[in-house]
Amino acid sequence: MAAKVASSTNKVFQSVNDDVHISFEDQQRINRFAKHNARMDDLKLELDMKKNDLKCVEEALEEIELFDEDEDIPFLTGEVFLSHKLGKTQELLADTKAQTLKEIESIEAKAKVIKAEMDELKALLYQRFGSNISLESDD
């Protein structure tokens, strides 16, 4: 598609060609960027869920401090609640908290690697296509 742009100073008309050839390699880069973008969305959701889990575990740790030492406290293991004494429950919650923190770190590391590759692809694609391509998220 050709468009004409008027220059206000000397009334010269210029023709601008918006047709851009997309090579197979360009299409592969675009597809890879789209896959990474979808993966980042999944990782964000997973990270939000893990952070919520961590918050719940921390709240549970604070809440059971008010319990008596000899009181049985139910602890969810898989799909079953098992009753433990205060000390054992605190130990299980601390282990769960540590595991959740490791999972959060792992998700953040994956997201960092994907983000770096997306930034590289974005730079290449914007360099190649300029304003003819939009790689910004709708957020």
Side-chain angles (χ1 to χ4, degrees), residues 39-132:
R39 181 70 179 131
M40 283 295 287
D41 289 343
D42 293 343
L43 288 175
K44 286 178 186 176
L45 288 174
E46 188 176 349
L47 186 61
D48 288 343
M49 289 189 322
K50 290 297 178 184
K51 285 183 177 180
N52 188 41
D53 291 348
L54 180 63
K55 180 181 169 191
C56 290
V57 169
E58 289 172 340
E59 288 175 359
L61 274 167
E62 291 174 10
E63 196 66 33
I64 65 170
E65 288 177 0
L66 304 173
F67 285 62
D68 291 332
E69 189 70 33
D70 60 342
E71 191 173 344
D72 284 340
I73 302 169
F75 184 80
L76 182 65
T77 304
E79 295 182 8
V80 183
F81 281 98
L82 301 175
S83 293
H84 299 284
K85 299 294 181 195
L86 178 64
K88 179 67 175 173
T89 304
Q90 286 175 324
E91 182 182 314
L92 291 170
L93 283 171
D95 291 345
T96 302
K97 180 180 177 179
Q99 180 63 31
T100 304
L101 285 170
K102 285 180 187 175
E103 291 170 359
I104 288 172
E105 288 174 10
S106 173
I107 293 168
E108 288 173 341
K110 288 177 189 176
K112 185 177 179 180
V113 169
I114 291 172
K115 178 74 170 132
E117 187 170 347
M118 284 178 67
D119 289 343
E120 182 180 319
L121 287 168
K122 188 184 280 189
L124 285 170
L125 291 169
Y126 274 131
Q127 179 182 11
R128 171 81 170 92
F129 297 108
S131 63
N132 292 322

Side-chain angles (χ1 to χ4, degrees), residues 2-38:
K4 294 188 178 191
V5 178
S7 174
S8 61
T9 56
N10 56 6
K11 304 287 183 202
V12 176
F13 289 94
Q14 298 174 346
S15 177
V16 177
N17 188 358
D18 288 338
D19 293 338
V20 177
H21 173 71
I22 300 175
S23 68
F24 179 74
E25 292 81 20
D26 293 333
Q27 188 62 51
Q28 293 299 97
R29 287 184 186 122
I30 293 168
N31 290 344
R32 196 165 62 233
F33 183 88
K35 286 180 187 176
H36 286 326
N37 196 35

